Amino acid sequence: DAGVTQSPTHLIKTRGQQVTLRCSPKSGHDTVSWYQQALGQGPQFIFQYYEEEERQRGNFPDRFSGHQFPNYSSELNVNALLLGDSALYLCASSLIIGGETQYFGPGTRLLVL
Amino acid sequence: DQQVKQNSPSLSVQEGRISILNCDYTNSMFDYFLWYKKYPAEGPTFLISISSIKDKNEDGRFTVFLNKSAKHLSLHIVPSQPGDSAVYFCAASAGGAGSYQLTFGKGTKLSVIP
């Protein structure tokens, strides 16, 4: 049973560029959430997708956007990258009803120079 | 404003002894609490959870205690093993953990000394 997968594992970008990160949820899961983990901090919620719609959003600017596809996989897009966007980006999948937890992928490490 | 706080950045424990990791929260709407373990270069791994209708939940060597009046929870690991060395995150949700955002603490790095 494949768990949550994310790609790429590492990425280096320069300020002002745009980036797209990808996530495939655990088999059978219908909900995908994205988190940003800065160095020395806990993960911070960015947004959650269900039925291809954003249903919850954390305190992140509009530069952060996402998408969910009919197969439940998801993308996180960040425009106009800032140095402060350097972080580990984590994807988590779950069941919208009855899910006891969110299962996390290994993350994508983004470095903005 | 941190709604979930883990005030101990690190903890060292001898192998075989008990590890106690603490977590405090401020949001009264939180009703579901989880502990995750994280190794370097991996995503967080779910350990154990507890609903606000309970005050204790056990799973093998791991027990989570919840004190709602004090808005405090703790994770006990008995006996501690070297493989338990990792960063432990406390997380909280205002609703089902599968359908609502998780709010995390900053983590406690546990070192179990052989």
Side-chain angles (χ1 to χ4, degrees):
Chain A
D1 177 24
V4 180
T5 59
Q6 293 185 243
S7 63
T9 54
H10 294 82
L11 208 48
I12 300 175
K13 292 286 188 178
T14 55
R15 279 180 299 174
Q17 285 190 311
Q18 179 263 346
V19 69
T20 298
L21 311 182
R22 294 175 177 82
C23 171
S24 289
K26 185 176 165 68
S27 178
H29 283 183
D30 54 13
T31 304
V32 172
S33 303
W34 287 91
Y35 293 81
Q36 179 196 67
Q37 186 179 14
L39 208 58
Q41 304 293 315
Q44 262 200 297
F45 177 75
I46 302 174
F47 43 53
Q48 185 181 79
Y49 276 84
Y50 171 68
E51 291 190 332
E52 303 177 48
E53 300 268 340
E54 181 185 295
R55 65 184 295 271
Q56 293 179 67
R57 189 179 183 92
N59 190 23
F60 279 81
D62 292 344
R63 297 187 298 109
F64 289 77
S65 63
H67 189 78
Q68 187 181 32
F69 299 94
N71 67 353
Y72 307 115
S73 67
S74 176
E75 287 182 350
L76 164 65
N77 301 292
V78 188
N79 293 323
L81 284 167
L82 303 174
L83 296 180
D85 294 332
S86 296
L88 179 68
Y89 288 85
L90 294 161
C91 168
S93 74
S94 57
L95 281 169
I96 195 77
I97 296 174
E100 67 162 13
T101 187
Q102 295 180 19
Y103 292 87
F104 284 83
T108 294
R109 175 72 63 184
L110 172 65
L111 178 61
V112 182
L113 301 176
Chain B
D1 176 34
Q2 261 197 292
Q3 298 185 63
V4 177
K5 298 179 186 178
Q6 294 177 257
N7 291 321
S8 299
S10 62
L11 175 68
S12 287
V13 171
Q14 208 72 31
E15 181 180 2
R17 306 295 289 267
I18 183 171
S19 294
I20 300 176
L21 295 95
N22 294 302
C23 178
D24 297 295
Y25 63 96
T26 57
N27 189 338
S28 300
M29 297 299 291
F30 289 148
D31 61 1
Y32 198 81
F33 304 89
L34 308 92
W35 285 94
Y36 285 85
K37 177 169 76 172
K38 188 178 185 300
Y39 295 117
E42 293 184 13
T45 302
F46 170 70
L47 268 180
I48 192 169
S49 61
I50 187 166
S51 164
S52 60
I53 62 173
K54 296 184 175 181
D55 53 20
K56 178 182 173 182
N57 189 26
E58 278 181 272
D59 185 1
R61 297 186 298 114
F62 302 92
T63 303
V64 57
F65 296 91
L66 175 63
N67 182 334
K68 287 189 294 291
S69 60
K71 293 192 175 68
H72 177 83
L73 62 155
S74 60
L75 174 68
H76 293 209
I77 307 173
V78 185
S80 301
Q81 300 172 353
D84 295 330
S85 296
V87 178
Y88 288 77
F89 290 99
C90 169
S93 169
S99 55
Y100 286 87
Q101 66 184 72
L102 299 179
T103 301
F104 284 83
K106 290 187 176 183
T108 297
K109 184 176 182 180
L110 174 65
S111 300
V112 180
I113 304 159

mmCIF file of all heavy atoms in Angstrom, chain B residues 49-96:
data_model
loop_
_atom_site.group_PDB
_atom_site.id
_atom_site.type_symbol
_atom_site.label_atom_id
_atom_site.label_comp_id
_atom_site.label_asym_id
_atom_site.label_seq_id
_atom_site.Cartn_x
_atom_site.Cartn_y
_atom_site.Cartn_z
ATOM 1 N N SER B 49 -3.248 9.336 19.192
ATOM 2 C CA SER B 49 -4.139 10.492 19.278
ATOM 3 C C SER B 49 -5.086 10.310 20.460
ATOM 4 O O SER B 49 -5.191 9.224 21.044
ATOM 5 C CB SER B 49 -4.934 10.630 17.984
ATOM 6 O OG SER B 49 -5.738 9.475 17.766
ATOM 7 N N ILE B 50 -5.795 11.388 20.786
ATOM 8 C CA ILE B 50 -6.786 11.333 21.853
ATOM 9 C C ILE B 50 -7.876 12.349 21.573
ATOM 10 O O ILE B 50 -7.605 13.485 21.154
ATOM 11 C CB ILE B 50 -6.132 11.564 23.239
ATOM 12 C CG1 ILE B 50 -7.150 11.328 24.357
ATOM 13 C CG2 ILE B 50 -5.516 12.966 23.345
ATOM 14 C CD1 ILE B 50 -6.518 11.206 25.734
ATOM 15 N N SER B 51 -9.101 11.918 21.790
ATOM 16 C CA SER B 51 -10.243 12.812 21.667
ATOM 17 C C SER B 51 -10.476 13.505 23.002
ATOM 18 O O SER B 51 -10.146 12.963 24.054
ATOM 19 C CB SER B 51 -11.470 11.994 21.278
ATOM 20 O OG SER B 51 -12.647 12.726 21.503
ATOM 21 N N SER B 52 -11.112 14.665 22.951
ATOM 22 C CA SER B 52 -11.337 15.427 24.189
ATOM 23 C C SER B 52 -12.348 14.762 25.120
ATOM 24 O O SER B 52 -12.501 15.188 26.265
ATOM 25 C CB SER B 52 -11.796 16.849 23.864
ATOM 26 O OG SER B 52 -12.991 16.820 23.128
ATOM 27 N N ILE B 53 -13.033 13.729 24.640
ATOM 28 C CA ILE B 53 -13.980 13.044 25.528
ATOM 29 C C ILE B 53 -13.266 12.015 26.409
ATOM 30 O O ILE B 53 -13.874 11.423 27.300
ATOM 31 C CB ILE B 53 -15.112 12.358 24.741
ATOM 32 C CG1 ILE B 53 -14.559 11.269 23.817
ATOM 33 C CG2 ILE B 53 -15.910 13.379 23.957
ATOM 34 C CD1 ILE B 53 -15.649 10.451 23.135
ATOM 35 N N LYS B 54 -11.972 11.812 26.135
ATOM 36 C CA LYS B 54 -11.187 10.877 26.937
ATOM 37 C C LYS B 54 -10.109 11.639 27.699
ATOM 38 O O LYS B 54 -9.778 12.781 27.370
ATOM 39 C CB LYS B 54 -10.521 9.836 26.044
ATOM 40 C CG LYS B 54 -11.484 8.926 25.307
ATOM 41 C CD LYS B 54 -10.716 7.874 24.533
ATOM 42 C CE LYS B 54 -11.653 6.881 23.876
ATOM 43 N NZ LYS B 54 -10.900 5.846 23.130
ATOM 44 N N ASP B 55 -9.531 10.973 28.714
ATOM 45 C CA ASP B 55 -8.386 11.591 29.385
ATOM 46 C C ASP B 55 -7.121 10.751 29.262
ATOM 47 O O ASP B 55 -6.047 11.173 29.714
ATOM 48 C CB ASP B 55 -8.696 11.895 30.853
ATOM 49 C CG ASP B 55 -9.201 10.677 31.603
ATOM 50 O OD1 ASP B 55 -8.974 9.539 31.137
ATOM 51 O OD2 ASP B 55 -9.817 10.847 32.671
ATOM 52 N N LYS B 56 -7.233 9.594 28.631
ATOM 53 C CA LYS B 56 -6.070 8.723 28.476
ATOM 54 C C LYS B 56 -6.270 7.822 27.268
ATOM 55 O O LYS B 56 -7.380 7.328 27.027
ATOM 56 C CB LYS B 56 -5.884 7.884 29.756
ATOM 57 C CG LYS B 56 -4.748 6.884 29.733
ATOM 58 C CD LYS B 56 -4.718 6.103 31.043
ATOM 59 C CE LYS B 56 -3.701 4.977 30.992
ATOM 60 N NZ LYS B 56 -3.702 4.190 32.257
ATOM 61 N N ASN B 57 -5.182 7.586 26.539
ATOM 62 C CA ASN B 57 -5.209 6.617 25.457
ATOM 63 C C ASN B 57 -3.857 5.930 25.395
ATOM 64 O O ASN B 57 -2.815 6.577 25.471
ATOM 65 C CB ASN B 57 -5.522 7.300 24.120
ATOM 66 C CG ASN B 57 -5.771 6.299 23.010
ATOM 67 O OD1 ASN B 57 -6.190 5.170 23.266
ATOM 68 N ND2 ASN B 57 -5.518 6.678 21.776
ATOM 69 N N GLU B 58 -3.894 4.590 25.295
ATOM 70 C CA GLU B 58 -2.655 3.805 25.295
ATOM 71 C C GLU B 58 -2.493 3.042 23.997
ATOM 72 O O GLU B 58 -3.458 2.540 23.433
ATOM 73 C CB GLU B 58 -2.704 2.749 26.409
ATOM 74 C CG GLU B 58 -2.355 3.230 27.780
ATOM 75 C CD GLU B 58 -2.420 2.095 28.791
ATOM 76 O OE1 GLU B 58 -3.498 1.865 29.347
ATOM 77 O OE2 GLU B 58 -1.383 1.434 29.006
ATOM 78 N N ASP B 59 -1.241 2.921 23.561
ATOM 79 C CA ASP B 59 -0.928 2.084 22.417
ATOM 80 C C ASP B 59 0.482 1.545 22.603
ATOM 81 O O ASP B 59 1.466 2.231 22.320
ATOM 82 C CB ASP B 59 -1.025 2.877 21.115
ATOM 83 C CG ASP B 59 -0.819 2.007 19.888
ATOM 84 O OD1 ASP B 59 -0.613 0.774 20.037
ATOM 85 O OD2 ASP B 59 -0.852 2.535 18.761
ATOM 86 N N GLY B 60 0.560 0.336 23.135
ATOM 87 C CA GLY B 60 1.868 -0.257 23.377
ATOM 88 C C GLY B 60 2.668 0.535 24.397
ATOM 89 O O GLY B 60 2.210 0.777 25.506
ATOM 90 N N ARG B 61 3.859 0.977 24.004
ATOM 91 C CA ARG B 61 4.721 1.724 24.927
ATOM 92 C C ARG B 61 4.323 3.192 25.057
ATOM 93 O O ARG B 61 4.906 3.909 25.865
ATOM 94 C CB ARG B 61 6.174 1.648 24.441
ATOM 95 C CG ARG B 61 6.769 0.248 24.428
ATOM 96 C CD ARG B 61 8.251 0.262 24.064
ATOM 97 N NE ARG B 61 8.495 0.780 22.726
ATOM 98 C CZ ARG B 61 9.141 1.908 22.457
ATOM 99 N NH1 ARG B 61 9.631 2.653 23.451
ATOM 100 N NH2 ARG B 61 9.322 2.295 21.202
ATOM 101 N N PHE B 62 3.366 3.620 24.256
ATOM 102 C CA PHE B 62 2.984 5.039 24.209
ATOM 103 C C PHE B 62 1.629 5.264 24.881
ATOM 104 O O PHE B 62 0.668 4.557 24.611
ATOM 105 C CB PHE B 62 2.917 5.520 22.749
ATOM 106 C CG PHE B 62 4.212 5.335 22.001
ATOM 107 C CD1 PHE B 62 4.460 4.187 21.275
ATOM 108 C CD2 PHE B 62 5.189 6.315 22.037
ATOM 109 C CE1 PHE B 62 5.661 4.009 20.594
ATOM 110 C CE2 PHE B 62 6.385 6.156 21.360
ATOM 111 C CZ PHE B 62 6.625 4.998 20.642
ATOM 112 N N THR B 63 1.588 6.268 25.762
ATOM 113 C CA THR B 63 0.350 6.662 26.421
ATOM 114 C C THR B 63 0.230 8.170 26.347
ATOM 115 O O THR B 63 1.205 8.884 26.635
ATOM 116 C CB THR B 63 0.322 6.218 27.898
ATOM 117 O OG1 THR B 63 0.515 4.807 27.969
ATOM 118 C CG2 THR B 63 -1.004 6.582 28.550
ATOM 119 N N VAL B 64 -0.936 8.650 25.967
ATOM 120 C CA VAL B 64 -1.172 10.092 25.968
ATOM 121 C C VAL B 64 -2.215 10.413 27.039
ATOM 122 O O VAL B 64 -3.220 9.704 27.176
ATOM 123 C CB VAL B 64 -1.607 10.607 24.578
ATOM 124 C CG1 VAL B 64 -2.840 9.896 24.072
ATOM 125 C CG2 VAL B 64 -1.818 12.109 24.601
ATOM 126 N N PHE B 65 -1.933 11.442 27.827
ATOM 127 C CA PHE B 65 -2.832 11.912 28.870
ATOM 128 C C PHE B 65 -3.320 13.307 28.505
ATOM 129 O O PHE B 65 -2.535 14.145 28.055
ATOM 130 C CB PHE B 65 -2.100 11.975 30.223
ATOM 131 C CG PHE B 65 -1.647 10.643 30.739
ATOM 132 C CD1 PHE B 65 -0.387 10.157 30.440
ATOM 133 C CD2 PHE B 65 -2.488 9.872 31.536
ATOM 134 C CE1 PHE B 65 0.035 8.922 30.918
ATOM 135 C CE2 PHE B 65 -2.080 8.640 32.017
ATOM 136 C CZ PHE B 65 -0.812 8.163 31.712
ATOM 137 N N LEU B 66 -4.617 13.548 28.732
ATOM 138 C CA LEU B 66 -5.194 14.853 28.441
ATOM 139 C C LEU B 66 -5.846 15.428 29.693
ATOM 140 O O LEU B 66 -6.698 14.768 30.306
ATOM 141 C CB LEU B 66 -6.228 14.742 27.314
ATOM 142 C CG LEU B 66 -7.015 16.012 26.977
ATOM 143 C CD1 LEU B 66 -6.088 17.110 26.476
ATOM 144 C CD2 LEU B 66 -8.100 15.710 25.939
ATOM 145 N N ASN B 67 -5.469 16.647 30.046
ATOM 146 C CA ASN B 67 -6.080 17.376 31.160
ATOM 147 C C ASN B 67 -6.750 18.613 30.573
ATOM 148 O O ASN B 67 -6.100 19.632 30.329
ATOM 149 C CB ASN B 67 -5.014 17.762 32.196
ATOM 150 C CG ASN B 67 -5.595 18.470 33.402
ATOM 151 O OD1 ASN B 67 -6.648 19.105 33.323
ATOM 152 N ND2 ASN B 67 -4.917 18.363 34.523
ATOM 153 N N LYS B 68 -8.059 18.493 30.317
ATOM 154 C CA LYS B 68 -8.776 19.576 29.617
ATOM 155 C C LYS B 68 -8.829 20.856 30.440
ATOM 156 O O LYS B 68 -8.731 21.956 29.902
ATOM 157 C CB LYS B 68 -10.189 19.124 29.252
ATOM 158 C CG LYS B 68 -10.222 18.125 28.109
ATOM 159 C CD LYS B 68 -11.640 17.871 27.628
ATOM 160 C CE LYS B 68 -12.487 17.175 28.668
ATOM 161 N NZ LYS B 68 -12.053 15.773 28.906
ATOM 162 N N SER B 69 -9.007 20.717 31.739
ATOM 163 C CA SER B 69 -9.126 21.927 32.574
ATOM 164 C C SER B 69 -7.830 22.723 32.560
ATOM 165 O O SER B 69 -7.842 23.953 32.607
ATOM 166 C CB SER B 69 -9.521 21.557 33.996
ATOM 167 O OG SER B 69 -8.553 20.708 34.566
ATOM 168 N N ALA B 70 -6.706 22.010 32.478
ATOM 169 C CA ALA B 70 -5.412 22.689 32.443
ATOM 170 C C ALA B 70 -4.953 22.972 31.015
ATOM 171 O O ALA B 70 -3.910 23.599 30.812
ATOM 172 C CB ALA B 70 -4.354 21.849 33.157
ATOM 173 N N LYS B 71 -5.710 22.484 30.033
ATOM 174 C CA LYS B 71 -5.337 22.593 28.623
ATOM 175 C C LYS B 71 -3.906 22.069 28.428
ATOM 176 O O LYS B 71 -3.028 22.738 27.851
ATOM 177 C CB LYS B 71 -5.453 24.030 28.109
ATOM 178 C CG LYS B 71 -6.886 24.554 28.055
ATOM 179 C CD LYS B 71 -6.946 25.859 27.276
ATOM 180 C CE LYS B 71 -8.352 26.338 27.097
ATOM 181 N NZ LYS B 71 -8.985 26.755 28.362
ATOM 182 N N HIS B 72 -3.702 20.849 28.882
ATOM 183 C CA HIS B 72 -2.377 20.253 28.890
ATOM 184 C C HIS B 72 -2.473 18.786 28.485
ATOM 185 O O HIS B 72 -3.393 18.071 28.891
ATOM 186 C CB HIS B 72 -1.770 20.350 30.296
ATOM 187 C CG HIS B 72 -0.437 19.690 30.416
ATOM 188 N ND1 HIS B 72 0.741 20.303 30.061
ATOM 189 C CD2 HIS B 72 -0.108 18.441 30.852
ATOM 190 C CE1 HIS B 72 1.747 19.478 30.267
ATOM 191 N NE2 HIS B 72 1.272 18.344 30.748
ATOM 192 N N LEU B 73 -1.527 18.359 27.639
ATOM 193 C CA LEU B 73 -1.424 16.932 27.356
ATOM 194 C C LEU B 73 0.029 16.504 27.424
ATOM 195 O O LEU B 73 0.937 17.335 27.318
ATOM 196 C CB LEU B 73 -2.055 16.541 26.016
ATOM 197 C CG LEU B 73 -1.533 17.100 24.711
ATOM 198 C CD1 LEU B 73 -1.862 16.139 23.579
ATOM 199 C CD2 LEU B 73 -2.197 18.436 24.413
ATOM 200 N N SER B 74 0.202 15.207 27.648
ATOM 201 C CA SER B 74 1.553 14.685 27.740
ATOM 202 C C SER B 74 1.609 13.323 27.058
ATOM 203 O O SER B 74 0.608 12.602 26.983
ATOM 204 C CB SER B 74 2.008 14.581 29.197
ATOM 205 O OG SER B 74 1.168 13.721 29.925
ATOM 206 N N LEU B 75 2.794 13.022 26.554
ATOM 207 C CA LEU B 75 3.069 11.723 25.932
ATOM 208 C C LEU B 75 4.100 11.007 26.792
ATOM 209 O O LEU B 75 5.162 11.562 27.074
ATOM 210 C CB LEU B 75 3.615 11.919 24.519
ATOM 211 C CG LEU B 75 4.079 10.646 23.803
ATOM 212 C CD1 LEU B 75 2.896 9.736 23.479
ATOM 213 C CD2 LEU B 75 4.853 10.989 22.524
ATOM 214 N N HIS B 76 3.748 9.776 27.239
ATOM 215 C CA HIS B 76 4.669 8.962 28.021
ATOM 216 C C HIS B 76 5.151 7.810 27.157
ATOM 217 O O HIS B 76 4.337 7.126 26.514
ATOM 218 C CB HIS B 76 3.980 8.408 29.270
ATOM 219 C CG HIS B 76 3.622 9.469 30.270
ATOM 220 N ND1 HIS B 76 3.562 9.219 31.620
ATOM 221 C CD2 HIS B 76 3.315 10.778 30.125
ATOM 222 C CE1 HIS B 76 3.233 10.324 32.258
ATOM 223 N NE2 HIS B 76 3.067 11.292 31.370
ATOM 224 N N ILE B 77 6.453 7.587 27.157
ATOM 225 C CA ILE B 77 7.044 6.469 26.427
ATOM 226 C C ILE B 77 7.761 5.594 27.450
ATOM 227 O O ILE B 77 8.699 6.040 28.114
ATOM 228 C CB ILE B 77 8.049 6.949 25.354
ATOM 229 C CG1 ILE B 77 7.406 7.988 24.430
ATOM 230 C CG2 ILE B 77 8.554 5.760 24.540
ATOM 231 C CD1 ILE B 77 8.382 8.630 23.453
ATOM 232 N N VAL B 78 7.271 4.344 27.589
ATOM 233 C CA VAL B 78 7.854 3.437 28.577
ATOM 234 C C VAL B 78 7.940 2.014 28.013
ATOM 235 O O VAL B 78 6.909 1.479 27.593
ATOM 236 C CB VAL B 78 7.000 3.371 29.874
ATOM 237 C CG1 VAL B 78 7.690 2.506 30.926
ATOM 238 C CG2 VAL B 78 6.717 4.753 30.423
ATOM 239 N N PRO B 79 9.112 1.348 28.023
ATOM 240 C CA PRO B 79 10.410 1.959 28.306
ATOM 241 C C PRO B 79 10.957 2.675 27.073
ATOM 242 O O PRO B 79 10.628 2.309 25.948
ATOM 243 C CB PRO B 79 11.271 0.726 28.640
ATOM 244 C CG PRO B 79 10.682 -0.359 27.788
ATOM 245 C CD PRO B 79 9.203 -0.082 27.715
ATOM 246 N N SER B 80 11.770 3.658 27.278
ATOM 247 C CA SER B 80 12.364 4.394 26.152
ATOM 248 C C SER B 80 13.452 3.545 25.495
ATOM 249 O O SER B 80 14.201 2.832 26.183
ATOM 250 C CB SER B 80 12.968 5.715 26.639
ATOM 251 O OG SER B 80 11.984 6.514 27.236
ATOM 252 N N GLN B 81 13.526 3.644 24.160
ATOM 253 C CA GLN B 81 14.511 2.880 23.394
ATOM 254 C C GLN B 81 15.310 3.852 22.519
ATOM 255 O O GLN B 81 14.783 4.900 22.114
ATOM 256 C CB GLN B 81 13.815 1.842 22.513
ATOM 257 C CG GLN B 81 12.996 0.829 23.280
ATOM 258 C CD GLN B 81 12.177 -0.066 22.373
ATOM 259 O OE1 GLN B 81 12.111 0.134 21.165
ATOM 260 N NE2 GLN B 81 11.540 -1.079 22.983
ATOM 261 N N PRO B 82 16.546 3.507 22.177
ATOM 262 C CA PRO B 82 17.364 4.399 21.335
ATOM 263 C C PRO B 82 16.671 4.774 20.024
ATOM 264 O O PRO B 82 16.812 5.897 19.542
ATOM 265 C CB PRO B 82 18.640 3.588 21.097
ATOM 266 C CG PRO B 82 18.764 2.724 22.303
ATOM 267 C CD PRO B 82 17.337 2.354 22.670
ATOM 268 N N GLY B 83 15.878 3.856 19.461
ATOM 269 C CA GLY B 83 15.152 4.139 18.222
ATOM 270 C C GLY B 83 14.060 5.181 18.380
ATOM 271 O O GLY B 83 13.516 5.675 17.393
ATOM 272 N N ASP B 84 13.735 5.541 19.633
ATOM 273 C CA ASP B 84 12.737 6.588 19.882
ATOM 274 C C ASP B 84 13.335 7.982 19.710
ATOM 275 O O ASP B 84 12.599 8.980 19.732
ATOM 276 C CB ASP B 84 12.176 6.460 21.306
ATOM 277 C CG ASP B 84 11.407 5.179 21.528
ATOM 278 O OD1 ASP B 84 10.808 4.662 20.554
ATOM 279 O OD2 ASP B 84 11.399 4.674 22.672
ATOM 280 N N SER B 85 14.636 8.072 19.561
ATOM 281 C CA SER B 85 15.293 9.375 19.403
ATOM 282 C C SER B 85 14.808 10.034 18.116
ATOM 283 O O SER B 85 15.011 9.509 17.018
ATOM 284 C CB SER B 85 16.817 9.202 19.360
ATOM 285 O OG SER B 85 17.292 8.683 20.582
ATOM 286 N N ALA B 86 14.158 11.175 18.247
ATOM 287 C CA ALA B 86 13.532 11.871 17.125
ATOM 288 C C ALA B 86 12.965 13.183 17.653
ATOM 289 O O ALA B 86 13.039 13.472 18.849
ATOM 290 C CB ALA B 86 12.407 11.024 16.526
ATOM 291 N N VAL B 87 12.376 13.966 16.767
ATOM 292 C CA VAL B 87 11.637 15.161 17.184
ATOM 293 C C VAL B 87 10.164 14.795 17.284
ATOM 294 O O VAL B 87 9.606 14.185 16.359
ATOM 295 C CB VAL B 87 11.822 16.327 16.195
ATOM 296 C CG1 VAL B 87 10.997 17.532 16.637
ATOM 297 C CG2 VAL B 87 13.298 16.711 16.096
ATOM 298 N N TYR B 88 9.538 15.135 18.400
ATOM 299 C CA TYR B 88 8.135 14.818 18.643
ATOM 300 C C TYR B 88 7.304 16.097 18.572
ATOM 301 O O TYR B 88 7.595 17.084 19.240
ATOM 302 C CB TYR B 88 7.968 14.148 20.005
ATOM 303 C CG TYR B 88 8.499 12.740 20.012
ATOM 304 C CD1 TYR B 88 9.869 12.503 20.082
ATOM 305 C CD2 TYR B 88 7.651 11.648 19.906
ATOM 306 C CE1 TYR B 88 10.383 11.221 20.040
ATOM 307 C CE2 TYR B 88 8.144 10.347 19.884
ATOM 308 C CZ TYR B 88 9.510 10.146 19.950
ATOM 309 O OH TYR B 88 10.006 8.867 19.909
ATOM 310 N N PHE B 89 6.254 16.053 17.751
ATOM 311 C CA PHE B 89 5.361 17.194 17.589
ATOM 312 C C PHE B 89 3.995 16.868 18.185
ATOM 313 O O PHE B 89 3.427 15.814 17.934
ATOM 314 C CB PHE B 89 5.180 17.544 16.107
ATOM 315 C CG PHE B 89 6.405 18.132 15.468
ATOM 316 C CD1 PHE B 89 7.252 17.342 14.706
ATOM 317 C CD2 PHE B 89 6.702 19.477 15.631
ATOM 318 C CE1 PHE B 89 8.384 17.891 14.107
ATOM 319 C CE2 PHE B 89 7.829 20.028 15.033
ATOM 320 C CZ PHE B 89 8.672 19.226 14.279
ATOM 321 N N CYS B 90 3.490 17.812 18.931
ATOM 322 C CA CYS B 90 2.124 17.780 19.414
ATOM 323 C C CYS B 90 1.282 18.567 18.404
ATOM 324 O O CYS B 90 1.724 19.609 17.897
ATOM 325 C CB CYS B 90 2.104 18.444 20.796
ATOM 326 S SG CYS B 90 0.489 18.788 21.466
ATOM 327 N N ALA B 91 0.088 18.083 18.088
ATOM 328 C CA ALA B 91 -0.793 18.775 17.144
ATOM 329 C C ALA B 91 -2.218 18.737 17.670
ATOM 330 O O ALA B 91 -2.589 17.811 18.402
ATOM 331 C CB ALA B 91 -0.710 18.135 15.758
ATOM 332 N N ALA B 92 -3.007 19.724 17.270
ATOM 333 C CA ALA B 92 -4.390 19.809 17.725
ATOM 334 C C ALA B 92 -5.300 20.163 16.566
ATOM 335 O O ALA B 92 -4.895 20.823 15.605
ATOM 336 C CB ALA B 92 -4.516 20.853 18.832
ATOM 337 N N SER B 93 -6.554 19.733 16.691
ATOM 338 C CA SER B 93 -7.548 19.982 15.646
ATOM 339 C C SER B 93 -8.873 20.374 16.289
ATOM 340 O O SER B 93 -9.243 19.838 17.338
ATOM 341 C CB SER B 93 -7.726 18.709 14.811
ATOM 342 O OG SER B 93 -8.833 18.822 13.962
ATOM 343 N N ALA B 94 -9.591 21.299 15.650
ATOM 344 C CA ALA B 94 -10.934 21.683 16.116
ATOM 345 C C ALA B 94 -11.934 20.967 15.231
ATOM 346 O O ALA B 94 -12.549 21.564 14.364
ATOM 347 C CB ALA B 94 -11.100 23.189 16.043
ATOM 348 N N GLY B 95 -12.081 19.656 15.445
ATOM 349 C CA GLY B 95 -12.929 18.840 14.601
ATOM 350 C C GLY B 95 -12.207 17.557 14.261
ATOM 351 O O GLY B 95 -11.169 17.262 14.821
ATOM 352 N N GLY B 96 -12.739 16.787 13.348
ATOM 353 C CA GLY B 96 -12.097 15.529 12.996
ATOM 354 C C GLY B 96 -10.716 15.759 12.430
ATOM 355 O O GLY B 96 -10.503 16.641 11.625
#
